[in-house]
Amino acid sequence: LADGMTDGIRSRLVVRDDLKVISRASSMYYKAAQASTRELGEEGVHYVLDGSYQSQRSTSGPREVTLNLELIRVADDTQVWTYIDTKGEADIFTVQSQIASEVIARLGIPLVDPARAAAAPPTEDSVANDLFLKGNDYLYRAREVTSPSDFRIAIDFFADAVARDPAFAEAHAQLSVAHHWLWEIYGDHTDDRLHLARDAADEAT
């Protein structure tokens, strides 16, 4: 969920050329390295959006998520904005848009394309989204520890996600990536593997 929130907010922050948002791979690297604010500043970072969450079942059954975020100005290690709220699982996509819009406002950056910050969720199916996030976890972990079995687990998760929601374009795209990396990195140079990557890419578009 944390990585999924990060990706969702990041995609809504890239609204103009003078706001540089680091890639998923870079943010995961800094997260794993537990880099300090000072170290990030030395890398040229001006602001950090940090956060955590707690997930629990509500008395009525659906899962609730408590989010705790803070926007930090690296220059003086100061909080310039905080966000604490509890939302239902189904509201997570809406929250991503709200957080991105608030961050942009706090940075004083004019919003060139308001529709982008309020982008529609990639899927309305929470189970499909959970499968997608698990697939991403295995996909990127696979590249770090070079385990082909993790690629295959990621493929299974993405396949299950698109089976639940055939219109889930991002899951189709990641399914294509997983097949392609298995073909390119681990030498599974079969026609079937390449066709699977192409078919998933076609579904994504």
Side-chain angles (χ1 to χ4, degrees), residues 48-50 69-73 78-84 95 98-103 106:
V48 173
L49 182 63
D50 196 8
L69 293 91
E70 57 181 356
L71 181 64
I72 302 169
R73 184 169 52 230
T78 300
Q79 289 184 353
V80 297
W81 175 70
T82 59
Y83 176 95
I84 302 175
V95 170
Q98 293 172 347
I99 291 171
S101 296
E102 186 64 30
V103 168
R106 294 288 173 170

Side-chain angles (χ1 to χ4, degrees), residues 61-130:
R63 185 169 61 164
E64 291 185 339
V65 180
T66 299
L67 300 170
N68 189 333
L69 293 91
E70 57 181 356
L71 181 64
I72 302 169
R73 184 169 52 230
V74 173
D76 53 5
D77 199 19
T78 300
Q79 289 184 353
V80 297
W81 175 70
T82 59
Y83 176 95
I84 302 175
D85 201 1
T86 299
K87 297 288 186 181
E89 187 177 28
D91 298 324
I92 291 300
F93 292 119
T94 302
V95 170
Q96 291 175 5
S97 296
Q98 293 172 347
I99 291 171
S101 296
E102 186 64 30
V103 168
I104 289 169
R106 294 288 173 170
L107 295 178
I109 298 173
L111 190 57
V112 176
D113 185 1
R116 185 160 187 174
T123 178
E124 299 288 351
D125 189 318
S126 61
V127 175
N129 188 62
D130 282 343

Side-chain angles (χ1 to χ4, degrees), residues 11-162:
S11 67
R12 290 162 172 78
L13 285 175
V14 186
V15 293
R16 54 181 295 163
D17 292 340
D18 54 356
L19 176 59
K20 304 298 183 184
V21 183
I22 64 173
S23 68
R24 185 187 201 279
S26 294
S27 63
M28 293 298 287
Y29 168 79
Y30 287 122
K31 176 182 176 180
Q34 297 183 331
S36 67
T37 303
R38 178 184 58 80
E39 291 170 329
L40 292 171
E42 292 173 352
E43 295 286 336
V45 175
H46 298 288
Y47 289 88
V48 173
L49 182 63
D50 196 8
S52 62
Y53 78 95
Q54 290 182 328
S55 177
Q56 59 189 11
R57 290 286 177 185
S58 68
T59 54
S60 59
R63 185 169 61 164
E64 291 185 339
V65 180
T66 299
L67 300 170
N68 189 333
L69 293 91
E70 57 181 356
L71 181 64
I72 302 169
R73 184 169 52 230
V74 173
D76 53 5
D77 199 19
T78 300
Q79 289 184 353
V80 297
W81 175 70
T82 59
Y83 176 95
I84 302 175
D85 201 1
T86 299
K87 297 288 186 181
E89 187 177 28
D91 298 324
I92 291 300
F93 292 119
T94 302
V95 170
Q96 291 175 5
S97 296
Q98 293 172 347
I99 291 171
S101 296
E102 186 64 30
V103 168
I104 289 169
R106 294 288 173 170
L107 295 178
I109 298 173
L111 190 57
V112 176
D113 185 1
R116 185 160 187 174
T123 178
E124 299 288 351
D125 189 318
S126 61
V127 175
N129 188 62
D130 282 343
L131 292 166
F132 172 73
L133 296 179
K134 290 175 182 176
N136 273 337
D137 185 48
Y138 276 93
L139 180 64
Y140 291 101
R141 179 168 60 186
R143 284 179 64 84
E144 292 171 4
V145 301
T146 60
S147 169
S149 63
D150 282 346
F151 279 111
R152 295 187 174 91
I153 294 172
I155 287 170
D156 289 341
F157 277 125
F158 293 136
D160 289 344
V162 298

